[in-house]
Amino acid sequence: MSKPDNREDNVEHLQNAVQNTIENYREAEDYLEEFGDEIPAREKGQIEEKNERRKHSISGFREEIKDESRHQQNS
């Protein structure tokens, strides 16, 4: 038997994911600022691409938070 869909803590989980992703983004930016001239161009490009994906993820998480908040208000 499957568990019922309990969405009560989804917003909290999503907010944690946003915070973790922002932290990883900032750490990568700090790393690039400090070592960007010393690392190979390929590695630098990979970090920059990953940070672009992180920005998109943050945006997506925030939309999910809005959706979950609306869902909880309507429940």
Side-chain angles (χ1 to χ4, degrees):
M1 182 156 148
S2 65
K3 293 196 261 181
D5 186 17
N6 181 356
R7 299 170 71 159
E8 289 179 19
D9 60 354
N10 282 4
V11 171
E12 183 179 338
H13 287 290
L14 290 166
Q15 288 172 332
N16 287 337
V18 168
Q19 289 303 315
N20 291 337
T21 305
I22 289 171
E23 185 176 320
N24 290 337
Y25 176 88
R26 289 180 179 157
E27 286 177 6
E29 287 294 306
D30 291 345
Y31 180 82
L32 286 176
E33 188 174 314
E34 189 169 345
F35 301 106
D37 295 336
E38 301 171 25
I39 60 176
R42 181 177 175 195
E43 182 180 347
K44 184 176 180 179
Q46 289 171 335
I47 293 169
E48 291 169 340
E49 288 173 9
K50 190 161 192 170
N51 265 3
E52 281 301 310
R53 291 191 299 272
R54 285 179 173 129
K55 285 196 272 189
H56 292 290
S57 293
I58 291 166
S59 176
F61 286 140
R62 288 183 171 149
E63 286 301 314
E64 284 186 63
I65 289 169
K66 289 177 190 175
D67 290 344
E68 286 296 324
S69 294
R70 282 192 292 268
H71 175 77
Q72 288 178 3
Q73 290 172 355
N74 294 331
S75 295

